[in-house]
């Protein structure tokens, strides 16, 4: 195979451009365009690009999190906006850390977020033959060599940010020697750690990523896609730009930590004489307060039992946020509001919560649930009633039946014997309206031997069903559920996982865990809610937004997770 056979026939082979123009473009952006969209607009106008091709290239070594959501929305969103397409590619160059479980999970997450990729998912491992051919080409050109130093020696001789590196004693080996050593690496004749293939660039470069970076290392591990065919595997920094070239990617979008890697990205594409020349553009990563996105630290939370798995609703993983009840629409809106910049910063988590609430307002049906039940007997209700009310006040979602019986539950927080100032709910001898039903008056308070209120006896005003009482104003409205026809349910009240806005500012991030991030209560819900499908979302009136648990909820044993409460501290434009 000739090194360029794979890319020679690509329809989208842009010519190299001066990458410094990216920064200039930021100074001359059109109103409403971020710098990436400005670059693409200019590239299309100049003819450098005919069709925009992007890619989302996760490593399948873990579950996606909120930071990946921004990358997904950017890459797929850019492709949609400019009538191009986006590839889903797994940069699977490290078989020791990768699993098929993660491959399947990532694909499901992308689909759930509302995006589709072009053709079948792609894999860097699918290009291993081509990458190997290019590596041989680099050796033959004198641009790569096999280094037999130990890993510790390579690290020591690499230098530091203030000291230049030292040339390897194997740097000037002949092409024939290097080809022979490289073939032994491929055939498994070399042990792990005994040899690596390195690019021959400049060990004195001020950019440490250009100090003869490693291209291949020996790994005698089975790969989830290629089996035991290979005994050595390409490094990410080598495989990634060349995979972009093979796919004809026009705009390789990544985060700012890869900015120092860009010179090598350009170097390796130039040295293999690729017919396609993708360009890399870096923007800020997504950092949110009260949130950790380090894979290592997230794994520590899971393996230490601090959360209940990767899909725990407190986790910032996509599977966790999905189980929490966050919506794809809300997450996409959040990423759009965050935008694309060259400056790192911390985003207020309240903005994320605002976007989720906005997406739920007209999408979540209404229902009543009592989370801390207090029994109320309606002493003069003549008979049980089936009240019919809309599932949503502003959107046509049909109707639901709410049974009203002589015994109901209200929430304990809605009654006070000695009310604080401004209390507008139920008090002795006071009146309040039952949501969707009658005005009631508290006539008697019943307590147990410990003095705790265990029941209220109330009377209804029979003239107030669907209308206001005459001659007086009742300000308070409370929710309720029938005691005999309501359905017991487990309700999981989730809150932020950390108490500190910068939970990983110190090494001991576990010290900032919120001990009240999960509370499980035994509630009573109206019968219609029990019939919810898993992942169906509701607003429990006066309580917050909730979702029927993706795995545990059944009609016989309902389980709901709180998505968010109803309070919103974020102001658009803040």
């Amino acid at each position: 195979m000739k090194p360029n056979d794979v890319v020679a026939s690509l329809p989208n082979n842009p010519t190299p451009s001066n990458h410094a123009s990216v920064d200039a473009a930021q100074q001359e952006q059109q109103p409403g365009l971020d710098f990436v969209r400005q670059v693409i607009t200019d590239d299309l106008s100049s003819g450098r690009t005919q069709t925009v091709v992007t890619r989302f290239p996760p490593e399948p070594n873990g579950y996606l999190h909120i930071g990946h959501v921004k990358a997904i929305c950017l890459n797929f969103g850019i492709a949609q906006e400019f009538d191009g397409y986006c590839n889903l590619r797994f940069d699977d160059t490290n078989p020791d850390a990768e699993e098929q479980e993660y491959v399947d999970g990532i694909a499901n997450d992308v689909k759930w977020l509302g995006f589709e990729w072009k053709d079948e998912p792609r894999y860097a491992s699918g290009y291993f033959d081509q990458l190997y051919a290019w590596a041989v080409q680099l050796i033959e050109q004198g641009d790569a060599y096999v280094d037999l130093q130990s890993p510790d020696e390579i690290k020591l001789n690499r230098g530091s940010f203030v000291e230049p590196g030292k040339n390897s004693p194997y740097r000037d080996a002949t092409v024939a020697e290097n080809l022979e050593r490289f073939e032994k690496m491929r055939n498994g004749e070399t042990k792990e750690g005994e040899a690596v293939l390195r690019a021959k660039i400049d060990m004195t470069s001020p950019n440490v990523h250009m100090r003869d970076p490693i291209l291949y290392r020996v790994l005698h591990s089975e790969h989830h896609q290629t089996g035991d065919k290979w005994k050595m595997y390409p490094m990410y920094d080598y495989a990634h730009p060349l995979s972009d070239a093979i796919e004809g990617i026009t705009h390789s979008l990544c985060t700012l930590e890869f900015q120092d890697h860009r010179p090598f990205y350009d170097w390796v594409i130039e040295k293999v004489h690729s017919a396609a020349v993708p360009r890399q553009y870096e923007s800020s990563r997504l950092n949110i307060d009260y949130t950790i996105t380090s894979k290592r630290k997230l794994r520590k939370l899971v393996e230490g039992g601090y959360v209940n798995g990767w899909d725990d609703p407190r986790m910032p993983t996509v599977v966790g946020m999905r189980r929490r009840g966050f919506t794809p629409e809300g997450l996409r809106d959040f990423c759009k509001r965050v935008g694309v910049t060259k400056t790192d910063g911390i985003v207020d988590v309240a903005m994320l919560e605002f976007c989720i609430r906005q997406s739920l307002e007209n999408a979540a049906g209404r229902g009543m649930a009592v989370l801390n039940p207090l029994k109320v007997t309606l002493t003069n209700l003549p008979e049980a009633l089936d009240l019919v009310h809309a599932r949503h006040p502003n959107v046509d979602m049909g109707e639901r039946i709410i049974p009203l019986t002589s015994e109901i539950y209200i929430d304990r927080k809605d009654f006070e014997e000695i009310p604080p100032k401004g209390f507008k709910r139920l008090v002795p001898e006071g009146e309040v309206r039952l949501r969707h039903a009658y005005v009631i008056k508290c006539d008697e308070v019943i307590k147990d031997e410990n003095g705790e209120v265990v029941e209220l006896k109330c009377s209804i005003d029979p003239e107030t069903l669907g209308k206001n009482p005459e001659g007086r104003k009742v300000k308070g409205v409370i929710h309720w559920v029938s005691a005999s026809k309501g359905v017991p349910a487990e309700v999981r009240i989730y809150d932020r996982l950390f108490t500190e806005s910068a939970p990983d500012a110190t090494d001991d991030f576990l010290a900032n865990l919120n001990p009240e991030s999960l509370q499980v209560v035994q509630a009573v819900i109206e019968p219609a809610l029990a019939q919810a499908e898993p992942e169906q979302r509701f607003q429990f009136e006066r309580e917050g937004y909730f979702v029927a648990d993706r795995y545990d909820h059944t009609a016989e044993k309902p389980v709901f997770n709180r998505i968010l409460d109803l309070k919103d501290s974020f102001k658009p434009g803040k």
Side-chain angles (χ1 to χ4, degrees):
M1 179 193 304
K2 293 181 181 179
N4 287 313
D5 282 351
V6 173
V7 293
S9 61
L10 287 171
N12 218 9
N13 297 334
T15 56
S17 65
N18 183 359
H19 207 72
S21 64
V22 175
D23 297 323
Q26 292 183 71
Q27 306 300 320
E28 302 176 5
Q29 287 179 36
Q30 297 179 20
L33 290 183
D34 56 61
F35 80 91
V36 171
R37 287 171 172 83
Q38 182 66 62
V39 165
I40 294 174
T41 298
D42 293 343
D43 287 346
L44 289 169
S45 297
S46 67
R48 191 187 85 83
T49 300
Q50 287 75 49
T51 301
V52 173
V53 184
T54 60
R55 81 289 172 269
F56 174 59
E59 299 173 68
N61 59 1
Y63 289 87
L64 300 185
H65 54 64
I66 184 69
H68 296 111
V69 175
K70 181 183 177 184
I72 291 169
C73 290
L74 178 60
N75 280 286
F76 283 92
I78 287 283
Q80 289 178 354
E81 289 174 37
F82 290 93
D83 295 323
Y85 61 87
C86 181
N87 293 336
L88 172 61
R89 182 180 76 235
F90 296 99
D91 277 345
D92 52 347
T93 59
N94 184 9
D96 287 346
E98 297 160 358
E99 297 179 23
Q100 188 63 39
E101 173 188 350
Y102 300 137
V103 171
D104 297 338
I106 288 169
N108 289 333
D109 287 347
V110 173
K111 287 183 178 179
W112 179 75
L113 285 166
F115 298 105
E116 293 289 339
W117 50 87
K118 182 179 173 62
D119 302 324
E120 293 296 315
R122 299 161 185 255
Y123 298 85
S125 58
Y127 310 139
F128 278 177
D129 287 333
Q130 176 68 64
L131 298 179
Y132 171 77
W134 270 326
V136 170
Q137 176 187 331
L138 290 174
I139 294 173
E140 292 174 339
Q141 292 173 179
D143 291 317
Y145 64 97
V146 174
D147 194 347
L148 301 181
Q149 293 182 100
S150 70
D152 288 340
E153 288 173 325
I154 291 175
K155 182 178 180 181
L156 179 65
N157 291 331
R158 193 183 188 203
S160 66
F161 289 110
V162 294
E163 293 182 351
K166 298 177 182 178
N167 286 348
S168 166
Y170 302 96
R171 198 172 192 267
D172 296 325
T174 66
V175 169
E177 288 174 320
N178 283 315
L179 289 174
E180 181 182 357
R181 291 167 180 169
F182 192 50
E183 191 64 17
K184 287 182 178 180
M185 289 173 60
R186 179 185 183 180
N187 293 337
E189 300 174 44
T190 307
K191 294 180 181 179
E192 294 185 9
E194 283 188 344
V196 294
L197 182 69
R198 299 180 71 176
K200 187 186 290 186
I201 307 178
D202 181 4
M203 288 300 293
T204 65
S205 172
N207 183 342
V208 294
H209 298 289
M210 296 296 281
R211 295 179 186 175
D212 292 9
I214 296 174
L215 308 181
Y216 273 86
R217 78 287 203 197
V218 176
L219 278 179
H220 296 174
S221 301
E222 188 165 317
H223 193 282
H224 59 93
Q225 293 292 318
T226 61
D228 60 359
K229 176 180 177 180
W230 295 93
K231 306 302 180 184
M232 64 177 186
Y233 292 93
M235 300 297 289
Y236 176 89
D237 274 3
Y238 173 72
H240 179 80
L242 295 180
S243 296
D244 282 352
I246 290 171
E247 295 178 11
I249 302 303
T250 58
H251 299 83
S252 179
L253 309 179
C254 59
T255 47
L256 285 176
E257 61 261 38
F258 289 98
Q259 184 167 297
D260 290 341
H261 298 244
R262 191 207 304 164
F264 178 68
Y265 183 103
D266 295 339
W267 181 91
V268 70
I269 290 174
E270 178 185 355
K271 288 295 183 179
V272 302
H273 311 299
S274 169
V277 183
R279 309 302 298 182
Q280 176 177 299
Y281 303 93
E282 310 89 10
S283 61
S284 60
R285 63 180 297 166
L286 179 58
N287 300 303
I288 309 175
D289 58 7
Y290 295 96
T291 306
I292 281 177
T293 54
S294 160
K295 285 183 181 179
R296 178 181 60 83
K297 292 178 180 178
L298 293 177
R299 184 178 296 278
K300 190 171 184 178
L301 289 172
V302 173
E303 294 178 350
Y306 300 101
V307 295
N308 299 317
W310 290 98
D311 64 352
D312 187 302
R314 294 166 291 182
M315 290 281 278
T317 54
V318 175
V319 287
M321 293 186 291
R322 177 176 179 176
R323 192 169 184 185
R324 175 77 172 262
F326 284 16
T327 64
E329 298 82 5
L331 290 170
R332 295 197 303 266
D333 180 39
F334 170 66
C335 291
K336 182 178 180 180
R337 290 173 183 268
V338 169
V340 181
T341 70
K342 275 278 191 180
T343 306
D344 269 330
I346 306 296
V347 178
D348 189 345
V349 70
M351 179 194 287
L352 171 60
E353 295 169 351
F354 168 83
C355 293
I356 299 301
R357 288 190 186 93
Q358 286 283 97
S359 70
L360 291 168
E361 174 59 31
N362 290 323
R366 304 302 194 253
M368 292 192 290
V370 176
L371 306 187
N372 189 9
L374 173 62
K375 182 180 177 182
V376 173
T377 299
L378 303 178
T379 56
N380 64 332
L381 182 70
E383 60 181 353
L385 299 174
D386 283 338
L387 306 176
V388 180
H389 281 276
R391 294 181 182 273
H392 195 288
N394 303 315
V395 179
D396 185 6
M397 295 184 180
E399 296 178 327
R400 70 191 202 268
I401 296 175
I402 309 172
L404 175 63
T405 55
S406 59
E407 292 183 347
I408 63 172
Y409 291 121
I410 67 170
D411 199 287
R412 285 186 176 272
K413 68 176 180 291
D414 286 335
F415 173 78
E416 289 284 354
E417 273 195 285
I418 305 174
K421 185 177 181 180
F423 190 76
K424 295 181 180 179
R425 286 160 279 174
L426 195 59
V427 298
E429 301 300 320
E431 287 186 315
V432 72
R433 177 176 288 282
L434 297 178
R435 183 76 165 160
H436 306 307
Y438 296 98
V439 170
I440 64 172
K441 179 181 179 182
C442 181
D443 303 311
E444 183 181 355
V445 178
I446 299 175
K447 302 180 181 180
D448 62 14
E449 61 273 14
N450 298 318
E452 183 179 350
V453 177
V454 295
E455 182 181 355
L456 304 177
K457 291 189 179 292
C458 299
S459 55
I460 67 166
D461 181 340
E463 302 300 320
T464 57
L465 184 61
K467 58 183 180 181
N468 293 323
E470 295 184 3
R472 64 195 190 281
K473 179 177 284 189
V474 176
K475 294 183 179 180
V477 180
I478 63 174
H479 62 286
W480 56 276
V481 172
S482 166
S484 59
K485 295 188 178 182
V487 179
E490 178 179 306
V491 176
R492 300 163 181 170
I493 307 297
Y494 290 100
D495 204 344
R496 293 173 185 169
L497 186 56
F498 296 99
T499 57
E500 297 295 324
S501 61
D504 55 352
T506 63
D507 291 336
D508 189 16
F509 73 100
L510 295 175
N512 296 321
L513 284 169
N514 178 6
E516 298 182 353
S517 61
L518 170 60
Q519 300 179 49
V520 179
V521 301
Q522 301 305 314
V524 183
I525 61 177
E526 65 174 79
L529 290 175
Q531 302 305 312
E533 296 293 327
E535 296 194 89
Q536 189 173 356
R537 303 173 184 88
F538 296 90
Q539 183 189 114
F540 288 0
E541 300 191 42
R542 302 179 64 236
E543 292 288 357
Y545 290 103
F546 292 77
V547 64
D549 187 79
R550 184 180 180 186
Y551 302 113
D552 298 337
H553 173 84
T554 65
E556 295 73 27
K557 293 184 177 180
V559 178
F560 285 87
N561 304 325
R562 186 175 75 174
I563 307 171
L564 292 167
D565 59 20
L566 295 174
K567 298 176 183 177
D568 201 335
S569 61
F570 180 76
K571 304 298 181 186
K574 176 179 172 181

